[in-house]
Amino acid sequence: MIVESPAKAKKIGGFLGSDYEVRASMGHVRDLPEDASQIPEEFKKQPWARLGVNITQDFTPLYVVPPEKKKVVNELKTLLKGVDELILATDEDREGESIGWHLADLLQPKVPVKRMTFDEITKSAILKAIQNTRQLDTNLVEAQETRRILDRLYGYTLSPLLWKKIRRGLSAGRVQSVAVRVLVQRELERLAFVKGSYWDLKANLQTPKPESFAAQLVTVGGKKIAQGKDFDESTGRITEGVDVLLLAEEPAKALQARLKNATWKVTDLESRPQTRRPSPPFTTSTLQQEANRKLGMSARETMQTAQRLYEDGHITYMRTDSVSLSQEALTAARGRITSSYGQDYLSETPRQYSNRTKNAQEAHEAIRPAGTEMLTADEIGLGGREARLYDMIWKRTVASQMAEARLLFTTATITAEDAEFRATGRQVQFPGYFRAYVEGSDDPEAALESEEAALPQLEVGQTLNCAEVEALGHETKPPARYTEATLVRKLEAEGIGRPSTYASIISTIQDRGYVRKANNQLIPTFTALAVTRLLEQHFPQLVDLAFTAQMEQSLDDISNGQGSRLPYLQGFYNGKDGLEQQVKAREEGIDPRVACTIQLDKLSPAVRVGKFGPYLERSDNGETMTASLPDDISPADLSDQLAEELFHRKLQGPKSLGMHPETGLPIFVMNGPFGPYLQMGETVADGPKPKRVSVPKNMSPDSVEFETAVALLALPRQLGKHPEDGKVVNAGIGRFGPYVQHAGRYKSLGKDDDVLTITMDRAVELIKEIKGRAGATPLKELGEHPQGGGPVQIFEGRYGPYVKHGKTNATLPKEKDPLAVSLEEAVALLDAKAGAPKKATRGKKAAPTTAARKTPKAKAPKPPAEPKEPKEPKAPKFKKKKK
């Protein structure tokens, strides 16, 4: 039996016993060539070789076995010689079907081959699945191959164009570029936004008892008061045609003074009961959204954690669009509700949900706790991130079978002279499923559904006492930037990509420099603006949301047997309107200087995207002036005032504050790509690098005093020893701002913390907040190091996953799934990092194995190893031959 990962192989092997040999393929065993070095010699001179797809012969893919997979393939071939049957037990989605087909085609077994699928790794599920095998589904394989070829053609055709016209190293992707465009459009909306201001009144009222409650002004003289939703975002004025009264500060305060001594009376009461139904169990998409909202986990972290829970047999398969539950799960959930919450909290009948997605993924169930007992995280013995994610899945599953919550909303209308105020109360009459789970909100200021805010007992005609009337000023807010949760929701709603790919898409657009993440917001960079504008102007269809969604539907049609691979690829790439001809026809008309120049509304100087980052450019008296843009400046936040400040700093040059009292070296205030910083000493070619420290963001570089500069240059400073383990606690400033550091782990300071005055007690508080976060526990234990001894482990770090042995850390390649790394691969990375000589292979020369298809039937490409979220393609790199 072949599965994808060693963890899965070990678990399933324990269920099946000695009659079965269960091995891991470590994800896909072959794929399209990554670069020119992997293309076999006999194909290198072919004009289509750089694509890895023979576009002249029915888009036949050229598959190669990467050198690092050769050993795995040989081992699997050897094992096949002594068995009676081959069972392909890869995951139950398109990607798993593709892996299974590649294994069968590459290994060429002489024994019967069966396909086995399961959606949870429990003994009962595996034993049931092995009795219900089937043949490989060629429609699913065909759909996955079409997707892989499509992504390759898109990326390898458009990316070189971006290299020539904007900057080397950029990439385009079928879904990646559309996701970036969504973020860019929102940023431009924020840039175009004009804030408006309005005032209203808030009254603090009391009953005779007394009981206090708040009421908000809604009308004056029978006319509705303007609120934020009544404003036009592009003008900052009331939207044309909306009939409301706009209160300015003076009229609002005059009304406030007039109403202080008025008679306040209840003139109307309205009560309306409502019921709330629980949300469906989790799908891949909703799990990523909710984990981001509630647990602060990125889509990538969510999928990695869910992968571990699945492979350990704790949850069902985590790549699914299905919201249905099996009868086994319904029975388990309803039994748990009765025992934990009581019969009153059980829904009258088992509740099933229907999919909203047109073509749900091939998995059978929603994501739920595996097995028949619905055990809690404590009962299983989980801890850390796994426990938090599992607990959320458990609660959502149980809540889906609980009784509806019943609420009562009460609205009171209170009149004072010609002004009308309104107060709304909310009371939970029966909590129902709220006892187990309440869904999060994308609006951080929104109240959760389960929160109560009941009004006191009121009667129509009752007179109230007004304790206070406040006049409150407001400003309208620009559209909120996307978070990972809201971007996933947007892409799913538009039918862009598949939920199983969202984690890799979000990671890719950050890795490529198109997006940076700050305070959970996804902020597009100036590079993203330049690339998106070029694609919108010259290839509008390729970044159109509806067109991209239709591409997904075409792939779904192929997976369902309702579409054909070859006509679709020919229509996309060949012909007058095909991608190849579009690029050839329009390439000459794209001026690189124009492509690299961004002229933003409301900004006088131009922004240019250069080799070393974005910068401002303007002409003064015929002379061109430039100024670097710090990385942390967002396009929507760039103004003429800020631009003028950056030009001023550039003209002013380094500002000297004086000579350091200990070193005697000059201290300068300077400006760089990461913002203003202090430098001690001058920069000398081939000399030692001067000491530098960033100027904190809450401090103006023009107002930094000499004593403060000396103190900042002395950072990091020791605060003392941690009271629990005696290890030193430091405070300093890094690229991401001020921090405290303890035992190799860092925590950013809060807004009110000062790196120069922070105390040990406050530092200990901050350090407590990072316990259990990424890096605290290994993602995976690989075993003992074969030469040096000691554990080899994989951790999730600030800059991505890495392998660790002793004091040596080695970063994993971006395309490598950390859960699929073997001990041998990890040791090789560690040896390369430490500069140790590599072991020579005996009698064998490592060379890629190839398989060029002659027919286009039912072959699919390799995605990244688990988690199997296809990466967006990047343009190939070719080595120049020596003459």
Side-chain angles (χ1 to χ4, degrees):
M1 180 181 291
I2 302 178
V3 296
E4 291 100 331
S5 73
K8 202 183 295 184
K10 183 178 180 181
K11 190 88 174 179
I12 295 174
F15 296 148
L16 297 178
S18 58
D19 287 342
Y20 290 82
E21 190 77 46
V22 186
R23 292 301 175 97
S25 69
M26 311 299 289
H28 257 291
V29 289
R30 67 181 182 184
D31 190 12
L32 303 177
E34 276 294 310
D35 53 44
S37 67
Q38 290 187 0
I39 299 174
E41 286 297 330
E42 61 266 34
F43 298 111
K44 281 189 174 180
K45 293 183 180 180
Q46 297 292 336
W48 52 264
R50 69 178 188 86
L51 295 173
V53 178
N54 189 344
I55 56 176
T56 64
Q57 186 182 337
D58 297 339
F59 292 88
T60 304
L62 173 64
Y63 291 126
V64 300
V65 177
E68 66 270 16
K69 288 298 176 75
K70 193 173 180 64
K71 182 180 178 182
V72 174
V73 172
N74 289 335
E75 287 176 350
L76 293 176
K77 283 182 176 179
T78 301
L79 285 168
L80 269 175
K81 295 177 182 177
V83 299
D84 305 313
E85 187 177 81
L86 172 62
I87 300 174
L88 301 171
T90 47
D91 287 339
E92 58 179 331
D93 55 11
R94 293 178 197 173
E95 210 63 56
E97 207 75 18
S98 173
I99 292 174
W101 181 86
H102 273 281
L103 286 165
D105 188 68
L106 186 61
L107 299 177
Q108 292 294 308
K110 295 180 172 57
V111 295
V113 179
K114 294 180 179 178
R115 173 78 169 108
M116 167 180 151
T117 59
F118 46 88
D119 61 1
E120 65 180 29
I121 306 177
T122 58
K123 187 170 184 178
S124 59
I126 297 302
L127 294 179
K128 180 180 178 181
I130 210 166
Q131 298 299 322
N132 294 277
T133 56
R134 59 170 173 80
Q135 297 300 308
L136 283 163
D137 188 329
T138 55
N139 287 333
L140 297 182
V141 177
E142 187 101 343
Q144 178 53 33
E145 176 170 270
T146 307
R147 178 189 296 274
R148 185 70 178 100
I149 293 173
L150 194 63
D151 288 343
R152 174 58 66 94
L153 295 175
Y154 190 115
Y156 275 37
T157 305
L158 279 177
S159 296
L161 178 68
L162 299 180
W163 287 28
K164 295 176 185 176
K165 305 300 181 181
I166 297 180
R167 194 184 71 213
R168 192 168 181 80
L170 296 177
S171 69
R174 181 177 59 88
V175 180
Q176 164 196 317
S177 297
V178 176
V180 171
R181 186 189 179 208
V182 168
L183 300 177
V184 167
Q185 286 176 326
R186 177 59 53 87
E187 192 71 9
L188 294 178
E189 288 171 7
R190 289 176 65 88
L191 182 67
F193 173 79
V194 178
K195 68 182 177 183
S197 61
Y198 62 96
W199 285 71
D200 60 14
L201 301 185
K202 180 181 178 182
N204 182 13
L205 305 174
Q206 292 179 337
T207 64
K209 284 193 176 181
E211 295 170 299
S212 298
F213 65 98
Q216 203 77 27
L217 178 67
V218 288
T219 67
V220 176
K223 197 164 187 180
K224 186 181 173 185
I225 295 297
Q227 296 295 314
K229 58 183 175 59
D230 300 318
F231 283 79
D232 186 325
E233 293 184 346
S234 61
T235 64
R237 298 188 180 94
I238 298 297
T239 303
E240 189 175 349
V242 176
D243 186 21
V244 291
L245 174 63
L246 176 60
L247 280 182
E249 182 177 3
E250 287 187 13
K253 289 186 175 179
L255 181 62
Q256 173 193 21
R258 180 160 62 89
L259 296 181
K260 275 185 179 179
N261 300 316
T263 300
W264 296 72
K265 186 177 290 187
V266 179
T267 54
D268 187 44
L269 281 174
E270 179 188 355
S271 295
R272 57 189 192 284
Q274 286 189 9
T275 58
R276 293 283 192 272
R277 283 173 57 88
S279 298
F282 280 126
T283 61
T284 303
S285 166
T286 55
L287 179 66
Q288 290 174 2
Q289 293 176 52
E290 195 74 339
N292 185 251
R293 295 187 197 108
K294 286 192 169 182
L295 306 179
M297 294 171 64
S298 68
R300 177 181 177 181
E301 290 169 338
T302 301
M303 295 308 291
Q304 288 177 347
T305 306
Q307 181 83 33
R308 292 195 293 277
L309 289 171
Y310 168 64
E311 292 189 349
D312 289 339
H314 299 319
I315 63 171
T316 53
Y317 191 53
M318 68 292 163
R319 289 185 179 84
T320 174
D321 289 339
S322 175
V323 290
S324 65
L325 294 173
S326 65
Q327 187 58 50
E328 175 186 84
L330 292 172
T331 302
R334 294 176 70 80
R336 191 75 197 214
I337 294 165
T338 304
S339 62
S340 297
Y341 302 101
Q343 189 70 28
D344 291 344
Y345 285 87
L346 186 68
S347 63
E348 292 183 4
T349 58
R351 190 181 282 118
Q352 281 285 18
Y353 299 83
S354 58
N355 286 313
R356 295 179 183 177
T357 308
K358 286 184 181 179
N359 187 44
Q361 293 277 4
E362 296 76 19
H364 305 301
E365 275 195 269
I367 303 169
R368 64 166 178 88
T372 59
E373 300 179 67
M374 207 62 64
L375 297 175
T376 65
D378 287 341
E379 290 168 338
I380 293 174
L382 293 174
R385 186 182 290 171
E386 285 86 355
R388 294 195 296 275
L389 189 65
Y390 178 87
D391 183 61
M392 198 172 71
I393 294 169
W394 186 93
K395 288 177 177 177
R396 178 93 162 211
T397 306
V398 168
S400 73
Q401 298 305 310
M402 293 178 73
E404 296 174 344
R406 298 195 297 274
L407 296 89
L408 182 67
F409 289 88
T410 304
T411 302
T413 302
I414 299 105
T415 302
E417 294 187 3
D418 62 341
E420 198 173 79
F421 287 72
R422 189 164 294 157
T424 302
R426 174 196 189 98
Q427 186 176 358
V428 178
Q429 293 185 309
F430 176 67
Y433 73 91
F434 287 168
R435 283 284 305 275
Y437 185 82
V438 180
E439 188 169 10
S441 171
D442 290 322
D443 181 1
E445 298 178 5
L448 295 178
E449 284 193 314
S450 60
E451 291 183 4
E452 283 201 348
L455 291 177
Q457 191 69 36
L458 300 173
E459 295 179 2
V460 174
Q462 181 180 4
T463 301
L464 302 170
N465 176 44
C466 179
E468 184 183 14
V469 181
E470 292 182 86
L472 303 173
H474 307 274
E475 286 187 344
T476 55
K477 295 180 180 179
R481 289 188 177 102
Y482 284 97
T483 63
E484 290 201 16
T486 54
L487 179 61
V488 165
R489 189 176 66 182
K490 171 70 173 177
L491 294 176
E492 184 179 39
E494 296 288 347
I496 307 297
R498 278 284 170 255
S500 58
T501 70
Y502 293 154
S504 69
I505 291 166
I506 293 172
S507 294
T508 296
I509 60 179
Q510 292 180 74
D511 294 341
R512 299 281 193 267
Y514 291 129
V515 175
R516 67 181 180 88
K517 192 173 179 180
N519 299 323
N520 206 33
Q521 296 180 330
L522 298 175
I523 306 173
T525 62
F526 291 100
T527 302
L529 265 65
V531 169
T532 299
R533 191 189 62 171
L534 184 150
L535 294 176
E536 284 178 334
Q537 289 180 351
H538 301 281
F539 308 96
Q541 191 179 41
L542 296 180
V543 287
D544 180 72
L545 273 65
F547 177 76
T548 307
Q550 184 55 50
M551 294 170 80
E552 292 293 346
Q553 184 58 53
S554 299
L555 294 169
D556 291 342
D557 292 342
I558 295 171
S559 74
N560 294 328
Q562 299 172 357
S564 181
R565 160 192 179 280
L566 187 56
Y568 180 70
L569 289 174
Q570 287 174 333
F572 173 77
Y573 193 75
N574 292 339
K576 181 182 177 182
D577 298 324
L579 177 62
E580 184 181 33
Q581 289 304 315
Q582 285 189 50
V583 172
K584 287 181 179 178
R586 298 170 190 177
E587 182 173 356
E588 292 302 319
I590 301 174
D591 184 342
R593 182 166 181 82
V594 173
C596 291
T597 304
I598 306 166
Q599 194 66 61
L600 296 174
D601 292 340
K602 305 176 187 175
L603 186 70
S604 300
V607 177
R608 287 186 46 78
V609 176
K611 182 178 180 181
F612 301 107
Y615 61 92
L616 293 166
E617 182 179 272
R618 74 179 182 192
S619 179
D620 277 356
N621 299 321
E623 182 181 348
T624 300
M625 290 185 60
T626 63
S628 296
L629 280 168
D631 284 358
D632 60 353
I633 291 182
S634 307
D637 299 333
L638 186 56
S639 63
D640 276 342
Q641 181 182 353
L642 179 55
E644 191 58 42
E645 184 180 334
L646 293 171
F647 279 118
H648 174 70
R649 289 183 196 166
K650 174 73 178 292
L651 286 171
Q652 188 181 39
K655 175 185 174 183
S656 177
L657 297 179
M659 309 301 284
H660 195 280
E662 294 178 9
T663 65
L665 296 173
I667 299 175
F668 299 105
V669 181
M670 307 181 77
N671 197 47
F674 305 118
Y677 63 93
L678 298 168
Q679 177 173 303
M680 182 167 60
E682 297 185 9
T683 305
V684 181
D686 300 326
K689 187 176 180 180
K691 181 164 186 179
R692 294 172 178 171
V693 63
S694 296
V695 175
K697 290 185 179 179
N698 61 354
M699 194 179 293
S700 169
D702 295 328
S703 62
V704 176
E705 296 181 351
F706 177 74
E707 291 77 11
T708 304
V710 171
L712 288 171
L713 284 164
L715 295 174
R717 65 186 183 96
Q718 287 192 10
L719 302 182
K721 294 184 177 180
H722 196 284
E724 293 180 8
D725 58 15
K727 293 183 178 179
V728 173
V729 177
N730 293 316
I733 298 178
R735 179 178 173 184
F736 301 99
Y739 64 84
V740 288
Q741 177 264 336
H742 166 253
R745 302 176 67 197
Y746 295 79
K747 172 65 180 176
S748 295
L749 300 191
K751 292 181 180 178
D752 299 326
D753 295 318
D754 186 341
V755 68
L756 297 178
T757 59
I758 188 169
T759 63
M760 172 63 87
D761 290 341
R762 173 58 178 155
V764 170
E765 284 181 25
L766 290 169
I767 289 165
K768 283 181 182 177
E769 295 178 15
I770 58 176
K771 287 190 175 181
R773 286 178 56 189
T777 55
L779 293 177
K780 187 177 180 182
E781 297 276 0
L782 297 177
E784 291 285 313
H785 194 287
Q787 284 85 38
V792 178
Q793 303 164 311
I794 295 178
F795 288 85
E796 180 70 43
R798 173 179 284 179
Y799 305 107
Y802 63 94
V803 60
K804 180 180 182 67
H805 173 248
K807 294 184 178 180
T808 304
N809 297 340
T811 303
L812 292 179
K814 289 177 182 176
E815 69 276 4
K816 191 71 177 178
D817 173 22
L819 300 178
V821 175
S822 66
L823 178 61
E824 292 77 11
E825 290 173 319
V827 170
L829 289 169
L830 290 165
D831 287 347
K833 178 73 174 180
K838 293 185 179 179
K839 269 182 156 183
T841 52
R842 262 196 206 168
K844 288 186 181 181
K845 183 180 179 182
T849 303
T850 64
R853 271 195 355 171
K854 293 182 180 179
T855 61
K857 239 180 179 182
K859 297 214 174 184
K862 167 198 168 192
E866 291 182 36
K868 301 180 302 302
E869 295 135 348
K871 59 188 176 185
E872 297 287 353
K874 57 184 179 181
K877 297 179 181 179
F878 296 99
K879 295 180 179 178
K880 292 183 179 179
K881 293 184 178 179
K882 292 182 179 178
K883 291 185 180 180

